[in-house]
Amino acid sequence: MASKVIHAFYNDDDVLMHAVKKVKAAKHHIEEVYCPFPVHGLDKAMGLAPTRIAITSFMYGCVGLTVAIVMMNFIMIQDWPQDIGGKPSFSYLENMPAFVPIMFELTVFFAAHLMVITFYLRSRLWPFKEAENPDVRTTDDHFLMEIEIHGNEQELRDLLMDTGAVEINITEK
């Protein structure tokens, strides 16, 4: 069975923030808010849990650092040791200051690229995916708040009109 949702459109991010706070205070569950640009503080106003993506970024950086150390030790010390400029390559620790830029670059490389992949997978953004945006105006200049209706249509409509919605539509989800 398809459920009915109400779409409230706003044309200002400050009005949207006030509306989200008012709707949450009235104990309604906001399904999603579609915005043309990031709105600072919207996640807290909606009551969303803080992201743990920074933890994965740190772990990816650690993986990159480990790969850099193992790679440089194998290539420059074990597999093909060379006497470059009078510096013997017989131990990793003696040559580590020369390897610091490589360690830094691979740490950043792994963290950045794996974070992009993680973001796309977590957001379910893959090639040829259909857009989930319910209205194209939310990519230009409007904000849309989506709330599921549970037999309280008129109450929600009145509440959203009081919050400054410029347009209210009811659709099947």
PDB file of all heavy atoms in Angstrom, residues 57-92:
ATOM      1  N   SER A  57      37.738   7.997   7.797  1.00  0.00           N
ATOM      2  CA  SER A  57      38.814   8.743   7.143  1.00  0.00           C
ATOM      3  C   SER A  57      40.140   8.513   7.854  1.00  0.00           C
ATOM      4  O   SER A  57      41.175   8.318   7.211  1.00  0.00           O
ATOM      5  CB  SER A  57      38.483  10.235   7.120  1.00  0.00           C
ATOM      6  OG  SER A  57      39.518  10.960   6.529  1.00  0.00           O
ATOM      7  N   PHE A  58      40.126   8.527   9.177  1.00  0.00           N
ATOM      8  CA  PHE A  58      41.345   8.258   9.941  1.00  0.00           C
ATOM      9  C   PHE A  58      41.855   6.844   9.668  1.00  0.00           C
ATOM     10  O   PHE A  58      43.055   6.628   9.476  1.00  0.00           O
ATOM     11  CB  PHE A  58      41.094   8.452  11.437  1.00  0.00           C
ATOM     12  CG  PHE A  58      42.269   8.104  12.294  1.00  0.00           C
ATOM     13  CD1 PHE A  58      43.359   8.956  12.365  1.00  0.00           C
ATOM     14  CD2 PHE A  58      42.290   6.932  13.025  1.00  0.00           C
ATOM     15  CE1 PHE A  58      44.462   8.643  13.145  1.00  0.00           C
ATOM     16  CE2 PHE A  58      43.374   6.611  13.807  1.00  0.00           C
ATOM     17  CZ  PHE A  58      44.463   7.464  13.873  1.00  0.00           C
ATOM     18  N   MET A  59      40.945   5.870   9.636  1.00  0.00           N
ATOM     19  CA  MET A  59      41.365   4.489   9.374  1.00  0.00           C
ATOM     20  C   MET A  59      41.945   4.350   7.966  1.00  0.00           C
ATOM     21  O   MET A  59      42.944   3.657   7.768  1.00  0.00           O
ATOM     22  CB  MET A  59      40.183   3.538   9.568  1.00  0.00           C
ATOM     23  CG  MET A  59      39.778   3.403  11.019  1.00  0.00           C
ATOM     24  SD  MET A  59      38.555   2.126  11.384  1.00  0.00           S
ATOM     25  CE  MET A  59      37.283   2.418  10.219  1.00  0.00           C
ATOM     26  N   TYR A  60      41.346   5.023   6.980  1.00  0.00           N
ATOM     27  CA  TYR A  60      41.883   4.972   5.628  1.00  0.00           C
ATOM     28  C   TYR A  60      43.261   5.612   5.553  1.00  0.00           C
ATOM     29  O   TYR A  60      44.135   5.144   4.824  1.00  0.00           O
ATOM     30  CB  TYR A  60      40.945   5.656   4.638  1.00  0.00           C
ATOM     31  CG  TYR A  60      39.616   4.954   4.476  1.00  0.00           C
ATOM     32  CD1 TYR A  60      38.483   5.664   4.120  1.00  0.00           C
ATOM     33  CD2 TYR A  60      39.479   3.589   4.669  1.00  0.00           C
ATOM     34  CE1 TYR A  60      37.264   5.040   3.956  1.00  0.00           C
ATOM     35  CE2 TYR A  60      38.272   2.954   4.511  1.00  0.00           C
ATOM     36  CZ  TYR A  60      37.165   3.684   4.159  1.00  0.00           C
ATOM     37  OH  TYR A  60      35.962   3.069   3.997  1.00  0.00           O
ATOM     38  N   GLY A  61      43.476   6.700   6.300  1.00  0.00           N
ATOM     39  CA  GLY A  61      44.796   7.322   6.360  1.00  0.00           C
ATOM     40  C   GLY A  61      45.822   6.388   6.969  1.00  0.00           C
ATOM     41  O   GLY A  61      46.970   6.313   6.505  1.00  0.00           O
ATOM     42  N   CYS A  62      45.425   5.654   8.007  1.00  0.00           N
ATOM     43  CA  CYS A  62      46.333   4.671   8.626  1.00  0.00           C
ATOM     44  C   CYS A  62      46.687   3.556   7.640  1.00  0.00           C
ATOM     45  O   CYS A  62      47.833   3.100   7.598  1.00  0.00           O
ATOM     46  CB  CYS A  62      45.717   4.093   9.894  1.00  0.00           C
ATOM     47  SG  CYS A  62      45.628   5.273  11.245  1.00  0.00           S
ATOM     48  N   VAL A  63      45.722   3.128   6.856  1.00  0.00           N
ATOM     49  CA  VAL A  63      45.986   2.114   5.831  1.00  0.00           C
ATOM     50  C   VAL A  63      46.979   2.658   4.806  1.00  0.00           C
ATOM     51  O   VAL A  63      47.927   1.967   4.409  1.00  0.00           O
ATOM     52  CB  VAL A  63      44.677   1.660   5.143  1.00  0.00           C
ATOM     53  CG1 VAL A  63      44.961   0.835   3.902  1.00  0.00           C
ATOM     54  CG2 VAL A  63      43.817   0.873   6.107  1.00  0.00           C
ATOM     55  N   GLY A  64      46.793   3.906   4.388  1.00  0.00           N
ATOM     56  CA  GLY A  64      47.712   4.523   3.430  1.00  0.00           C
ATOM     57  C   GLY A  64      49.116   4.649   3.983  1.00  0.00           C
ATOM     58  O   GLY A  64      50.100   4.390   3.279  1.00  0.00           O
ATOM     59  N   LEU A  65      49.241   5.024   5.254  1.00  0.00           N
ATOM     60  CA  LEU A  65      50.560   5.119   5.889  1.00  0.00           C
ATOM     61  C   LEU A  65      51.226   3.751   5.961  1.00  0.00           C
ATOM     62  O   LEU A  65      52.421   3.610   5.667  1.00  0.00           O
ATOM     63  CB  LEU A  65      50.431   5.728   7.281  1.00  0.00           C
ATOM     64  CG  LEU A  65      51.716   5.912   8.071  1.00  0.00           C
ATOM     65  CD1 LEU A  65      52.632   6.890   7.357  1.00  0.00           C
ATOM     66  CD2 LEU A  65      51.404   6.372   9.475  1.00  0.00           C
ATOM     67  N   THR A  66      50.464   2.737   6.306  1.00  0.00           N
ATOM     68  CA  THR A  66      51.008   1.377   6.377  1.00  0.00           C
ATOM     69  C   THR A  66      51.467   0.897   5.003  1.00  0.00           C
ATOM     70  O   THR A  66      52.553   0.317   4.870  1.00  0.00           O
ATOM     71  CB  THR A  66      49.949   0.414   6.957  1.00  0.00           C
ATOM     72  OG1 THR A  66      49.534   0.908   8.230  1.00  0.00           O
ATOM     73  CG2 THR A  66      50.485  -0.982   7.092  1.00  0.00           C
ATOM     74  N   VAL A  67      50.664   1.131   3.993  1.00  0.00           N
ATOM     75  CA  VAL A  67      51.047   0.742   2.632  1.00  0.00           C
ATOM     76  C   VAL A  67      52.326   1.471   2.220  1.00  0.00           C
ATOM     77  O   VAL A  67      53.223   0.874   1.624  1.00  0.00           O
ATOM     78  CB  VAL A  67      49.902   1.012   1.639  1.00  0.00           C
ATOM     79  CG1 VAL A  67      50.375   0.920   0.194  1.00  0.00           C
ATOM     80  CG2 VAL A  67      48.757   0.043   1.875  1.00  0.00           C
ATOM     81  N   ALA A  68      52.428   2.756   2.548  1.00  0.00           N
ATOM     82  CA  ALA A  68      53.621   3.526   2.190  1.00  0.00           C
ATOM     83  C   ALA A  68      54.866   2.958   2.865  1.00  0.00           C
ATOM     84  O   ALA A  68      55.916   2.786   2.218  1.00  0.00           O
ATOM     85  CB  ALA A  68      53.436   4.991   2.573  1.00  0.00           C
ATOM     86  N   ILE A  69      54.766   2.652   4.143  1.00  0.00           N
ATOM     87  CA  ILE A  69      55.932   2.130   4.878  1.00  0.00           C
ATOM     88  C   ILE A  69      56.349   0.771   4.336  1.00  0.00           C
ATOM     89  O   ILE A  69      57.531   0.522   4.073  1.00  0.00           O
ATOM     90  CB  ILE A  69      55.621   2.064   6.393  1.00  0.00           C
ATOM     91  CG1 ILE A  69      55.522   3.483   6.957  1.00  0.00           C
ATOM     92  CG2 ILE A  69      56.667   1.260   7.137  1.00  0.00           C
ATOM     93  CD1 ILE A  69      54.994   3.548   8.366  1.00  0.00           C
ATOM     94  N   VAL A  70      55.396  -0.120   4.141  1.00  0.00           N
ATOM     95  CA  VAL A  70      55.706  -1.458   3.633  1.00  0.00           C
ATOM     96  C   VAL A  70      56.261  -1.372   2.215  1.00  0.00           C
ATOM     97  O   VAL A  70      57.253  -2.043   1.880  1.00  0.00           O
ATOM     98  CB  VAL A  70      54.447  -2.360   3.692  1.00  0.00           C
ATOM     99  CG1 VAL A  70      54.665  -3.655   2.942  1.00  0.00           C
ATOM    100  CG2 VAL A  70      54.068  -2.633   5.139  1.00  0.00           C
ATOM    101  N   MET A  71      55.661  -0.531   1.383  1.00  0.00           N
ATOM    102  CA  MET A  71      56.111  -0.395   0.004  1.00  0.00           C
ATOM    103  C   MET A  71      57.540   0.156  -0.061  1.00  0.00           C
ATOM    104  O   MET A  71      58.391  -0.394  -0.764  1.00  0.00           O
ATOM    105  CB  MET A  71      55.176   0.542  -0.762  1.00  0.00           C
ATOM    106  CG  MET A  71      55.574   0.761  -2.214  1.00  0.00           C
ATOM    107  SD  MET A  71      54.636   2.065  -3.001  1.00  0.00           S
ATOM    108  CE  MET A  71      55.348   3.501  -2.249  1.00  0.00           C
ATOM    109  N   MET A  72      57.820   1.205   0.691  1.00  0.00           N
ATOM    110  CA  MET A  72      59.161   1.802   0.647  1.00  0.00           C
ATOM    111  C   MET A  72      60.209   0.864   1.233  1.00  0.00           C
ATOM    112  O   MET A  72      61.332   0.787   0.726  1.00  0.00           O
ATOM    113  CB  MET A  72      59.167   3.135   1.402  1.00  0.00           C
ATOM    114  CG  MET A  72      58.436   4.215   0.666  1.00  0.00           C
ATOM    115  SD  MET A  72      58.445   5.784   1.509  1.00  0.00           S
ATOM    116  CE  MET A  72      57.761   5.385   3.085  1.00  0.00           C
ATOM    117  N   ASN A  73      59.866   0.164   2.288  1.00  0.00           N
ATOM    118  CA  ASN A  73      60.810  -0.776   2.881  1.00  0.00           C
ATOM    119  C   ASN A  73      61.139  -1.886   1.884  1.00  0.00           C
ATOM    120  O   ASN A  73      62.301  -2.263   1.719  1.00  0.00           O
ATOM    121  CB  ASN A  73      60.256  -1.360   4.179  1.00  0.00           C
ATOM    122  CG  ASN A  73      61.261  -2.232   4.877  1.00  0.00           C
ATOM    123  OD1 ASN A  73      62.410  -1.837   5.071  1.00  0.00           O
ATOM    124  ND2 ASN A  73      60.830  -3.427   5.252  1.00  0.00           N
ATOM    125  N   PHE A  74      60.139  -2.397   1.212  1.00  0.00           N
ATOM    126  CA  PHE A  74      60.384  -3.466   0.245  1.00  0.00           C
ATOM    127  C   PHE A  74      61.174  -2.964  -0.957  1.00  0.00           C
ATOM    128  O   PHE A  74      62.176  -3.564  -1.359  1.00  0.00           O
ATOM    129  CB  PHE A  74      59.066  -4.100  -0.215  1.00  0.00           C
ATOM    130  CG  PHE A  74      59.259  -5.152  -1.262  1.00  0.00           C
ATOM    131  CD1 PHE A  74      59.770  -6.394  -0.923  1.00  0.00           C
ATOM    132  CD2 PHE A  74      58.975  -4.892  -2.591  1.00  0.00           C
ATOM    133  CE1 PHE A  74      59.972  -7.372  -1.883  1.00  0.00           C
ATOM    134  CE2 PHE A  74      59.170  -5.855  -3.557  1.00  0.00           C
ATOM    135  CZ  PHE A  74      59.673  -7.106  -3.206  1.00  0.00           C
ATOM    136  N   ILE A  75      60.719  -1.851  -1.546  1.00  0.00           N
ATOM    137  CA  ILE A  75      61.348  -1.361  -2.779  1.00  0.00           C
ATOM    138  C   ILE A  75      62.764  -0.857  -2.528  1.00  0.00           C
ATOM    139  O   ILE A  75      63.705  -1.230  -3.234  1.00  0.00           O
ATOM    140  CB  ILE A  75      60.489  -0.256  -3.419  1.00  0.00           C
ATOM    141  CG1 ILE A  75      59.182  -0.836  -3.935  1.00  0.00           C
ATOM    142  CG2 ILE A  75      61.231   0.420  -4.565  1.00  0.00           C
ATOM    143  CD1 ILE A  75      58.186   0.200  -4.397  1.00  0.00           C
ATOM    144  N   MET A  76      62.953  -0.013  -1.540  1.00  0.00           N
ATOM    145  CA  MET A  76      64.232   0.680  -1.364  1.00  0.00           C
ATOM    146  C   MET A  76      65.228  -0.064  -0.470  1.00  0.00           C
ATOM    147  O   MET A  76      66.421   0.213  -0.545  1.00  0.00           O
ATOM    148  CB  MET A  76      63.993   2.077  -0.780  1.00  0.00           C
ATOM    149  CG  MET A  76      63.157   2.969  -1.662  1.00  0.00           C
ATOM    150  SD  MET A  76      63.882   3.293  -3.269  1.00  0.00           S
ATOM    151  CE  MET A  76      65.252   4.300  -2.827  1.00  0.00           C
ATOM    152  N   ILE A  77      64.780  -0.965   0.373  1.00  0.00           N
ATOM    153  CA  ILE A  77      65.691  -1.626   1.309  1.00  0.00           C
ATOM    154  C   ILE A  77      65.899  -3.097   0.940  1.00  0.00           C
ATOM    155  O   ILE A  77      67.025  -3.566   0.846  1.00  0.00           O
ATOM    156  CB  ILE A  77      65.175  -1.512   2.764  1.00  0.00           C
ATOM    157  CG1 ILE A  77      64.882  -0.057   3.138  1.00  0.00           C
ATOM    158  CG2 ILE A  77      66.134  -2.159   3.736  1.00  0.00           C
ATOM    159  CD1 ILE A  77      66.063   0.884   3.030  1.00  0.00           C
ATOM    160  N   GLN A  78      64.811  -3.836   0.737  1.00  0.00           N
ATOM    161  CA  GLN A  78      64.937  -5.280   0.530  1.00  0.00           C
ATOM    162  C   GLN A  78      65.154  -5.656  -0.935  1.00  0.00           C
ATOM    163  O   GLN A  78      66.081  -6.393  -1.261  1.00  0.00           O
ATOM    164  CB  GLN A  78      63.689  -5.993   1.058  1.00  0.00           C
ATOM    165  CG  GLN A  78      63.538  -5.878   2.548  1.00  0.00           C
ATOM    166  CD  GLN A  78      62.227  -6.467   3.032  1.00  0.00           C
ATOM    167  OE1 GLN A  78      61.436  -6.972   2.257  1.00  0.00           O
ATOM    168  NE2 GLN A  78      61.990  -6.382   4.333  1.00  0.00           N
ATOM    169  N   ASP A  79      64.310  -5.171  -1.832  1.00  0.00           N
ATOM    170  CA  ASP A  79      64.337  -5.625  -3.221  1.00  0.00           C
ATOM    171  C   ASP A  79      65.488  -5.036  -4.038  1.00  0.00           C
ATOM    172  O   ASP A  79      66.154  -5.754  -4.774  1.00  0.00           O
ATOM    173  CB  ASP A  79      62.995  -5.294  -3.884  1.00  0.00           C
ATOM    174  CG  ASP A  79      62.888  -5.866  -5.283  1.00  0.00           C
ATOM    175  OD1 ASP A  79      63.277  -7.036  -5.467  1.00  0.00           O
ATOM    176  OD2 ASP A  79      62.415  -5.145  -6.171  1.00  0.00           O
ATOM    177  N   TRP A  80      65.721  -3.732  -3.962  1.00  0.00           N
ATOM    178  CA  TRP A  80      66.699  -3.074  -4.828  1.00  0.00           C
ATOM    179  C   TRP A  80      67.463  -2.000  -4.043  1.00  0.00           C
ATOM    180  O   TRP A  80      67.327  -0.809  -4.317  1.00  0.00           O
ATOM    181  CB  TRP A  80      65.969  -2.436  -6.003  1.00  0.00           C
ATOM    182  CG  TRP A  80      66.860  -2.056  -7.136  1.00  0.00           C
ATOM    183  CD1 TRP A  80      67.650  -0.947  -7.231  1.00  0.00           C
ATOM    184  CD2 TRP A  80      67.079  -2.778  -8.337  1.00  0.00           C
ATOM    185  NE1 TRP A  80      68.321  -0.913  -8.407  1.00  0.00           N
ATOM    186  CE2 TRP A  80      67.986  -2.037  -9.121  1.00  0.00           C
ATOM    187  CE3 TRP A  80      66.593  -3.985  -8.840  1.00  0.00           C
ATOM    188  CZ2 TRP A  80      68.421  -2.462 -10.374  1.00  0.00           C
ATOM    189  CZ3 TRP A  80      67.014  -4.377 -10.084  1.00  0.00           C
ATOM    190  CH2 TRP A  80      67.926  -3.625 -10.838  1.00  0.00           C
ATOM    191  N   PRO A  81      68.285  -2.386  -3.071  1.00  0.00           N
ATOM    192  CA  PRO A  81      69.038  -1.369  -2.311  1.00  0.00           C
ATOM    193  C   PRO A  81      70.086  -0.701  -3.203  1.00  0.00           C
ATOM    194  O   PRO A  81      70.785  -1.375  -3.957  1.00  0.00           O
ATOM    195  CB  PRO A  81      69.684  -2.172  -1.195  1.00  0.00           C
ATOM    196  CG  PRO A  81      69.708  -3.559  -1.659  1.00  0.00           C
ATOM    197  CD  PRO A  81      68.556  -3.726  -2.610  1.00  0.00           C
ATOM    198  N   GLN A  82      70.159   0.615  -3.122  1.00  0.00           N
ATOM    199  CA  GLN A  82      71.104   1.363  -3.946  1.00  0.00           C
ATOM    200  C   GLN A  82      71.845   2.384  -3.090  1.00  0.00           C
ATOM    201  O   GLN A  82      71.299   2.896  -2.110  1.00  0.00           O
ATOM    202  CB  GLN A  82      70.370   2.096  -5.072  1.00  0.00           C
ATOM    203  CG  GLN A  82      69.691   1.165  -6.044  1.00  0.00           C
ATOM    204  CD  GLN A  82      68.982   1.951  -7.142  1.00  0.00           C
ATOM    205  OE1 GLN A  82      69.390   3.049  -7.459  1.00  0.00           O
ATOM    206  NE2 GLN A  82      67.952   1.367  -7.708  1.00  0.00           N
ATOM    207  N   ASP A  83      73.056   2.702  -3.515  1.00  0.00           N
ATOM    208  CA  ASP A  83      73.847   3.739  -2.866  1.00  0.00           C
ATOM    209  C   ASP A  83      73.622   5.017  -3.671  1.00  0.00           C
ATOM    210  O   ASP A  83      74.217   5.228  -4.716  1.00  0.00           O
ATOM    211  CB  ASP A  83      75.327   3.343  -2.849  1.00  0.00           C
ATOM    212  CG  ASP A  83      76.154   4.293  -2.012  1.00  0.00           C
ATOM    213  OD1 ASP A  83      75.595   5.319  -1.566  1.00  0.00           O
ATOM    214  OD2 ASP A  83      77.346   4.015  -1.813  1.00  0.00           O
ATOM    215  N   ILE A  84      72.728   5.884  -3.186  1.00  0.00           N
ATOM    216  CA  ILE A  84      72.363   7.100  -3.905  1.00  0.00           C
ATOM    217  C   ILE A  84      72.980   8.289  -3.178  1.00  0.00           C
ATOM    218  O   ILE A  84      72.633   8.575  -2.036  1.00  0.00           O
ATOM    219  CB  ILE A  84      70.837   7.273  -3.994  1.00  0.00           C
ATOM    220  CG1 ILE A  84      70.226   6.077  -4.716  1.00  0.00           C
ATOM    221  CG2 ILE A  84      70.483   8.571  -4.705  1.00  0.00           C
ATOM    222  CD1 ILE A  84      68.742   6.030  -4.708  1.00  0.00           C
ATOM    223  N   GLY A  85      73.908   8.982  -3.818  1.00  0.00           N
ATOM    224  CA  GLY A  85      74.535  10.158  -3.230  1.00  0.00           C
ATOM    225  C   GLY A  85      75.333   9.840  -1.984  1.00  0.00           C
ATOM    226  O   GLY A  85      75.422  10.670  -1.084  1.00  0.00           O
ATOM    227  N   GLY A  86      75.888   8.673  -1.910  1.00  0.00           N
ATOM    228  CA  GLY A  86      76.689   8.290  -0.749  1.00  0.00           C
ATOM    229  C   GLY A  86      75.868   7.836   0.443  1.00  0.00           C
ATOM    230  O   GLY A  86      76.401   7.583   1.506  1.00  0.00           O
ATOM    231  N   LYS A  87      74.547   7.730   0.280  1.00  0.00           N
ATOM    232  CA  LYS A  87      73.677   7.288   1.373  1.00  0.00           C
ATOM    233  C   LYS A  87      73.351   5.812   1.169  1.00  0.00           C
ATOM    234  O   LYS A  87      72.621   5.462   0.251  1.00  0.00           O
ATOM    235  CB  LYS A  87      72.381   8.089   1.393  1.00  0.00           C
ATOM    236  CG  LYS A  87      72.570   9.564   1.658  1.00  0.00           C
ATOM    237  CD  LYS A  87      71.241  10.277   1.592  1.00  0.00           C
ATOM    238  CE  LYS A  87      71.451  11.769   1.742  1.00  0.00           C
ATOM    239  NZ  LYS A  87      70.221  12.503   1.531  1.00  0.00           N
ATOM    240  N   PRO A  88      73.873   4.955   2.004  1.00  0.00           N
ATOM    241  CA  PRO A  88      73.552   3.526   1.845  1.00  0.00           C
ATOM    242  C   PRO A  88      72.108   3.249   2.259  1.00  0.00           C
ATOM    243  O   PRO A  88      71.585   3.873   3.159  1.00  0.00           O
ATOM    244  CB  PRO A  88      74.549   2.829   2.774  1.00  0.00           C
ATOM    245  CG  PRO A  88      74.896   3.853   3.790  1.00  0.00           C
ATOM    246  CD  PRO A  88      74.801   5.193   3.110  1.00  0.00           C
ATOM    247  N   SER A  89      71.476   2.311   1.593  1.00  0.00           N
ATOM    248  CA  SER A  89      70.096   1.945   1.890  1.00  0.00           C
ATOM    249  C   SER A  89      70.055   0.573   2.542  1.00  0.00           C
ATOM    250  O   SER A  89      69.470  -0.362   2.009  1.00  0.00           O
ATOM    251  CB  SER A  89      69.273   1.951   0.601  1.00  0.00           C
ATOM    252  OG  SER A  89      69.204   3.232   0.062  1.00  0.00           O
ATOM    253  N   PHE A  90      70.681   0.460   3.714  1.00  0.00           N
ATOM    254  CA  PHE A  90      70.713  -0.832   4.391  1.00  0.00           C
ATOM    255  C   PHE A  90      69.699  -0.932   5.522  1.00  0.00           C
ATOM    256  O   PHE A  90      69.459  -2.010   6.023  1.00  0.00           O
ATOM    257  CB  PHE A  90      72.119  -1.123   4.927  1.00  0.00           C
ATOM    258  CG  PHE A  90      73.152  -1.146   3.834  1.00  0.00           C
ATOM    259  CD1 PHE A  90      74.288  -0.373   3.937  1.00  0.00           C
ATOM    260  CD2 PHE A  90      72.975  -1.916   2.696  1.00  0.00           C
ATOM    261  CE1 PHE A  90      75.237  -0.386   2.929  1.00  0.00           C
ATOM    262  CE2 PHE A  90      73.916  -1.934   1.691  1.00  0.00           C
ATOM    263  CZ  PHE A  90      75.055  -1.166   1.799  1.00  0.00           C
ATOM    264  N   SER A  91      69.126   0.191   5.936  1.00  0.00           N
ATOM    265  CA  SER A  91      68.101   0.125   6.972  1.00  0.00           C
ATOM    266  C   SER A  91      67.034   1.185   6.700  1.00  0.00           C
ATOM    267  O   SER A  91      67.330   2.285   6.210  1.00  0.00           O
ATOM    268  CB  SER A  91      68.700   0.315   8.366  1.00  0.00           C
ATOM    269  OG  SER A  91      68.617   1.639   8.785  1.00  0.00           O
ATOM    270  N   TYR A  92      65.820   0.860   7.037  1.00  0.00           N
ATOM    271  CA  TYR A  92      64.696   1.764   6.811  1.00  0.00           C
ATOM    272  C   TYR A  92      64.791   2.987   7.721  1.00  0.00           C
ATOM    273  O   TYR A  92      64.540   4.113   7.305  1.00  0.00           O
ATOM    274  CB  TYR A  92      63.378   1.029   7.042  1.00  0.00           C
ATOM    275  CG  TYR A  92      62.167   1.909   6.856  1.00  0.00           C
ATOM    276  CD1 TYR A  92      61.710   2.205   5.589  1.00  0.00           C
ATOM    277  CD2 TYR A  92      61.510   2.463   7.945  1.00  0.00           C
ATOM    278  CE1 TYR A  92      60.611   3.028   5.407  1.00  0.00           C
ATOM    279  CE2 TYR A  92      60.418   3.279   7.774  1.00  0.00           C
ATOM    280  CZ  TYR A  92      59.978   3.566   6.508  1.00  0.00           C
ATOM    281  OH  TYR A  92      58.899   4.387   6.323  1.00  0.00           O
TER     282      TYR A  92
END
